[in-house]
Amino acid sequence: MSGSPEAAGVQPVPALFFARVERRYRQAEGAVEILRGADLAIWPGELVALVAPSGAGKSTLLHLAGLLERPDGGEIYVGGQPTAAMADAARTRFRREEMGFVYQFHHLLPEFSALENVVMPQLIRGLARKEAKARATELLSFLGLGKRLVHRPAELSGGEQQRVAIARAVANGPRLLLADEPTGNLDPSTAGHVFAILLSLVRASGLAALIATHNMDLAARMDRRVTIRDGLIKPLD
Ligand code: ADP
Ligand code: MG
C-alpha cells in the first residue's frame, strides 16, 4: 500500500482543533471573557503564529490547547480526540505523550546537564536510558549544542538554555508543540537565531506548532498568523 491518507480512504486529522471554545475568568468586578466560541484548526506539519497584545489571552489559549485548563464551553480535540470531558489522569498522560511545551523562561533543572534535562522526560515516558541518551544527543546536536551536552543550565547562554528547552519539549516526539513567547527573553539577534533553529526542527520533524510571539518578523516566517479578537481566533494578515 502506498499513497496519501486520502487515497487510502483515511481522513487527515488536525493536530489541534478548537470547536466553539469558551473561556472566561470570574473576578470580583465580573467575568472576563477571553474566548466566546473560538474555532481553530492546526494541521500536522503546520507552523502557526499567535500574535496578540499583552492580556489578549495568548497564554490562556495555549493552556487550553495544552490541557492545563478546561474550556467553559465547546470542545478541544488533540489528534482527533475530544479532551474536554477527559479525566485528569488521562489528560496528564495525553499531555505527556502528545505535546511539547516551551515557555519564555527555560525551566530547566539546574542540577542536571543539558543532556540529562532532555533524557529525563523520555525516562518518565518509559524509554530505556541508552535510547533516551542517543535521542537527546541527536536532538541537541541538531540544535547546535553537540559540544554543550554536559554543561549545566547556569553554564549556558540564554540562547543555549532555550535551545535545550526546545530539545526537551520535542524529546518524546510530540504531535503538537506549544510555545509561549519562546524567544521573548532573548536579545533580538539571539532570538532570531533560536527561532530559525526552532523552525528547522519543526520542519524536519513534521509536527504541528502554535507559537505565541510579539515579534512580527518572527511571525512572518511561520506558515500562518492568527490573533484573538472579540473572543474569537481570527486570521491576521
Ligand atoms: P496574554 O498571554 O495574551 O498576555 P493571558 O492569557 O495571560 O494573556 O490573560 C488574558 C486575560 O485573562 C488577562 O486580562 C488576564 O488578567 C486574565 N487572566 C489570565 N489568567 C487568569 C486567572 N487565572 N484568573 C483570572 N484572570 C486571569
Ligand atoms: Mg502570556
Side-chain angles (χ1 to χ4, degrees):
M1 279 280 289
S2 68
S4 65
E6 293 91 330
V10 180
Q11 292 293 319
V13 171
L16 176 68
F17 187 58
F18 273 38
R20 306 250 157 248
V21 169
E22 297 169 29
R23 185 70 180 126
R24 62 189 70 87
Y25 293 115
R26 280 157 211 88
Q27 292 179 331
E29 318 84 72
V32 187
E33 299 257 9
I34 311 289
L35 299 176
R36 316 174 188 214
D39 297 321
L40 173 71
I42 299 181
W43 296 87
E46 213 182 13
L47 253 162
V48 180
L50 174 59
V51 185
S54 191
K58 299 182 296 300
S59 296
T60 301
L61 197 162
L62 288 165
H63 291 159
L64 288 165
L67 311 184
L68 296 162
E69 290 183 25
R70 286 180 196 267
D72 295 305
E75 183 57 276
I76 295 170
Y77 300 84
V78 179
Q81 280 242 38
T83 61
M86 247 184 206
D88 284 337
R91 286 164 65 91
T92 301
R93 179 161 25 85
F94 214 57
R95 188 184 312 128
R96 200 161 59 215
E97 295 180 358
E98 305 281 343
M99 298 179 200
F101 295 89
V102 183
Y103 300 95
Q104 188 169 347
F105 300 97
H106 57 77
H107 297 300
L108 296 170
L109 298 169
E111 299 303 318
F112 292 89
S113 69
L115 188 74
E116 288 297 333
N117 267 282
V118 183
V119 162
M120 203 87 60
Q122 301 180 77
L123 297 183
I124 293 168
R125 172 93 190 261
L127 212 68
R129 175 168 281 277
K130 191 164 170 229
E131 276 118 62
K133 262 181 117 160
R135 164 125 179 117
T137 304
E138 186 188 0
L139 267 173
L140 288 166
S141 301
F142 183 95
L143 293 167
L145 295 168
K147 296 200 159 63
R148 297 283 183 277
L149 299 179
V150 299
H151 289 57
R152 290 184 184 186
E155 298 161 348
L156 299 171
S157 70
E160 289 171 340
Q161 291 167 344
Q162 215 46 350
R163 278 183 277 156
V164 177
I166 290 165
R168 179 187 52 185
V170 301
N172 282 330
R175 181 193 295 273
L176 181 65
L177 180 70
L178 300 168
D180 199 348
E181 308 197 33
T183 60
N185 196 33
L186 304 175
D187 66 77
S189 111
T190 307
H193 177 60
V194 170
F195 203 77
I197 294 181
L198 173 59
L199 293 200
S200 63
L201 178 69
V202 170
R203 297 280 182 227
S205 51
L207 56 92
L210 178 60
I211 303 178
T213 179
H214 274 122
N215 187 321
M216 279 311 292
D217 292 339
L218 301 184
R221 285 147 69 179
M222 299 198 236
D223 298 326
R224 199 149 62 81
R225 287 144 290 284
V226 298
T227 192
I228 302 167
R229 203 183 309 129
D230 304 325
L232 301 177
I233 301 165
K234 297 186 172 170
L236 177 82
D237 274 314

